[in-house]
């Protein structure tokens, strides 16, 4: 686990929401940056600390989904947690398919938000650790079979193998070992 304090960026056009979320996240021990628009956030340089971004879905100018797309096009892989007072099922599914960690509706339960932020930060830390160690670094270790943070390289053959194909291969190996013993 990294000793670097995690940074949570909050992007919302409502000043009261920014203030209350900022206080909540600071009281939980996070460094917090607040931005009143997606455009303000995009011009601010990423400090490089592990963290996540809490984004309001409905904002003037770039909305939350457009900000998520802009971050992806810039290869900013910090995990995103969406908050919205006007979210639909289709919108939340689209956000999750684009990589959001969670999609929360306002009013936001503090415990739920802190849990989503914690999960997003752990996802970011795991991704940074994988990038630091290199691709496929945990393959072959006994622990890697149970771990959810195995480092996959997009250029490796293992990365293109579907989850169901890997599951089928494990079943075949188990049935072979059971037949032998």
């Amino acid at each position: 686990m990294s000793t670097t304090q995690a940074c949570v960026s909050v992007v919302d056009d409502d000043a009261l929401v920014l203030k209350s979320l900022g206080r909540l996240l600071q009281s939980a021990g996070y460094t917090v940056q607040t931005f009143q628009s997606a455009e303000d956030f995009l011009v601010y340089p990423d400090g490089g600390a592990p963290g996540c971004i809490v984004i309001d879905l409905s904002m003037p100018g770039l909305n939350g989904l457009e900000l998520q797309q802009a971050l992806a096009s810039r290869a900013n892989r910090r995990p995103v947690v969406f908050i919205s007072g006007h979210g639909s099922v289709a919108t939340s599914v689209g956000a999750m398919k684009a990589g959001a960690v969670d999609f929360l509706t306002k009013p936001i339960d503090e415990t739920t938000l802190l849990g989503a932020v914690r999960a997003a930060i752990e996802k970011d830390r795991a991704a940074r650790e994988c990038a630091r160690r290199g691709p496929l670094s945990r393959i072959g270790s006994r622990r890697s079979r149970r771990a959810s943070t195995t480092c996959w390289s997009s250029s490796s053959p293992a990365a293109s193998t579907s989850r169901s194909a890997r599951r089928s291969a494990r079943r075949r190996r188990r049935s072979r070992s059971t037949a032998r013993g």
Side-chain angles (χ1 to χ4, degrees), residues 101-145:
V101 172
D102 212 334
F103 192 100
L104 308 174
T105 56
K106 296 176 183 177
I108 301 167
D109 175 64
E110 293 176 3
T111 307
T112 304
L113 175 66
L114 291 174
V117 166
R118 193 174 309 111
I121 290 169
E122 287 307 313
K123 180 179 179 179
D124 189 42
R125 283 193 169 130
R128 288 168 187 265
E129 179 65 16
C130 285
R132 185 186 66 76
R133 288 188 315 210
L136 301 175
S137 63
R138 295 180 74 182
I139 301 300
S141 74
R142 190 161 190 220
R143 190 170 164 222
S144 72
R145 291 184 209 127

Side-chain angles (χ1 to χ4, degrees), residues 9-19 21 33-38 40-41 54-60 67 83-85 106 108:
S9 299
V10 182
V11 185
D12 197 312
D13 60 320
D14 186 335
L16 292 175
V17 171
L18 283 178
K19 187 175 182 179
L21 290 183
Q33 300 170 326
T34 59
F35 303 90
Q36 283 199 303
S37 72
D40 290 347
F41 175 77
V54 177
I55 304 174
D56 184 25
L57 180 66
S58 301
M59 295 182 289
L67 174 56
I83 57 174
S84 178
K106 296 176 183 177
I108 301 167

Side-chain angles (χ1 to χ4, degrees), residues 27 31 39 80 82 122 172 178:
S27 72
T31 299
E39 293 83 2
V80 171
F82 275 101
E122 287 307 313
R172 283 193 301 275
T178 307

Side-chain angles (χ1 to χ4, degrees), residues 7 29 71 80 102 166:
C7 179
L71 292 170
V80 171
D102 212 334
R166 290 191 305 266

